[in-house]
Amino acid sequence: MTQIHAFGGVDVGKACLDAALFPGGARWHGGNHPEGRQELIAWLGAHGVRIVGLEATGGYERPLRNELRAAGASVHVLDPARVRHFAKAIGRRAKTDAIDAAMIAEFTAQLHSLPPQPTEPEREAIADLVRTRRLLVDKRADIEKALVRLPDEARALVYPAVEALRVAIADLDAQIAQRVQAHSGLARSVQVLESAPGVGPITAVAVATLLPELGLISGRQAAALLGVAPYPDDSGQRHGKRRIAGGRSDVRRVLYIGFAPARWTPSDLRRRC
């Protein structure tokens, strides 16, 4: 059995990868493409690294994450804000890709006793469709808002774009529904969520896919994860305002609309649903 004597940290960019080890500080730099990822995996293996931390970078980290796990590594996908707070806490304020990789490796060393979060490729794929739907809905709402201010001839030119977006959203809805029904665990979660007052199919699918921890954590933990748990700000005799911060804004937004205030207009609801 190979002895683990170092932890790996990788700063993932669209085109490049920067890696570092902790302890020791050895560094590696290469391209974020199949050959580069395999070179990195071989480099980590040669140093006995079996636990690797990656920052979440909007999906760019997924190919490396999957290939590392296929190679037998334990991979932690980390919140970039937590890594940055850790760096500030230990007095490291400089920021480059190489420095970030070293911070990720050191932060991962503090988390190595925690089990990495499992991933479900199909759930991730559906979540990507849900986010794409949100993008198209927002674009449609922006164009519809602009239409009322346009002259008739310009409105006639722009209106087909609105119709094309409507068709694309409907196609996405059909794809999402089909894939959810084919995923037994996800379909069951959606069914349970829809049983709650104010939760429709769009909200249920978004929550089930974007918050996969639901059902595995407590209500308090879920509130903190969403960023709706107010944090205290007390010191001595002073009792400051409780505030919410951070969390998964995409899920929070979907949940908020499920309980939209009565003063919102139909156009507000179209934009957010």
Side-chain angles (χ1 to χ4, degrees):
M1 184 175 179
T2 304
Q3 183 182 4
I4 300 173
H5 56 78
F7 299 89
V10 185
D11 183 76
V12 181
K14 182 178 180 180
C16 296
L17 300 170
D18 283 273
L21 304 184
F22 180 84
R27 293 182 178 180
W28 181 94
H29 174 83
N32 189 4
H33 46 68
E35 295 79 11
R37 292 192 293 270
Q38 288 305 309
E39 288 178 17
L40 171 57
I41 291 169
W43 182 78
L44 292 168
H47 286 83
V49 175
R50 292 293 177 268
I51 302 177
V52 183
L54 314 174
E55 279 188 341
T57 55
Y60 291 132
E61 80 284 354
R62 289 183 190 173
L64 179 60
R65 178 202 66 191
N66 296 341
E67 291 172 25
L68 279 166
R69 286 179 175 168
S74 176
V75 182
H76 292 268
V77 179
L78 308 171
D79 178 356
R82 292 185 66 192
V83 178
R84 197 68 204 140
H85 289 322
F86 173 74
K88 290 179 180 179
I90 61 175
R92 311 278 179 82
R93 296 191 174 271
K95 189 178 189 320
T96 67
D97 291 344
I99 291 173
D100 285 350
M103 283 296 95
I104 295 167
E106 190 169 349
F107 187 60
T108 301
Q110 311 304 314
L111 301 176
H112 74 277
S113 60
L114 300 177
Q117 181 184 1
T119 56
E120 295 183 58
E122 180 60 14
R123 187 188 291 263
E124 279 190 345
I126 297 172
D128 286 340
L129 293 179
V130 170
R131 293 188 182 97
T132 302
R133 183 188 187 280
R134 166 61 54 196
L135 175 65
L136 296 184
V137 168
D138 285 348
K139 293 298 181 186
R140 182 184 63 182
D142 289 340
I143 296 174
E144 286 179 334
K145 187 184 294 184
L147 277 175
V148 299
R149 301 191 300 270
L150 296 177
D152 291 344
E153 59 271 20
R155 190 178 299 117
L157 292 172
V158 174
Y159 187 77
V162 177
E163 182 62 17
L165 286 170
R166 185 193 65 78
V167 172
I169 292 166
D171 289 344
L172 267 176
D173 285 341
Q175 285 189 50
I176 291 169
Q178 182 180 13
R179 295 182 75 160
V180 166
Q181 289 305 312
H183 190 296
S184 58
L186 202 51
R188 189 162 51 251
S189 296
V190 169
Q191 184 180 19
V192 171
L193 286 165
E194 283 190 87
S195 67
V199 177
I202 294 172
T203 299
V205 171
V207 172
T209 55
L210 301 176
L211 190 65
E213 299 90 348
L214 198 64
L216 303 174
I217 56 178
S218 69
R220 289 176 180 271
Q221 289 172 320
L225 198 57
L226 285 172
V228 296
Y231 290 98
D233 181 21
D234 301 336
S235 179
Q237 299 299 313
R238 183 182 66 83
H239 296 283
K241 279 188 174 182
R242 269 59 175 159
R243 301 178 185 276
I244 64 172
R248 297 187 189 173
S249 59
D250 49 0
V251 188
R252 189 168 62 247
R253 181 182 182 186
V254 169
L255 285 172
Y256 186 61
I257 196 61
F259 304 94
R263 67 179 180 273
W264 282 5
T265 66
S267 62
D268 290 327
L269 296 174
R270 276 200 307 275
R271 181 179 180 87
R272 293 168 172 81
C273 290

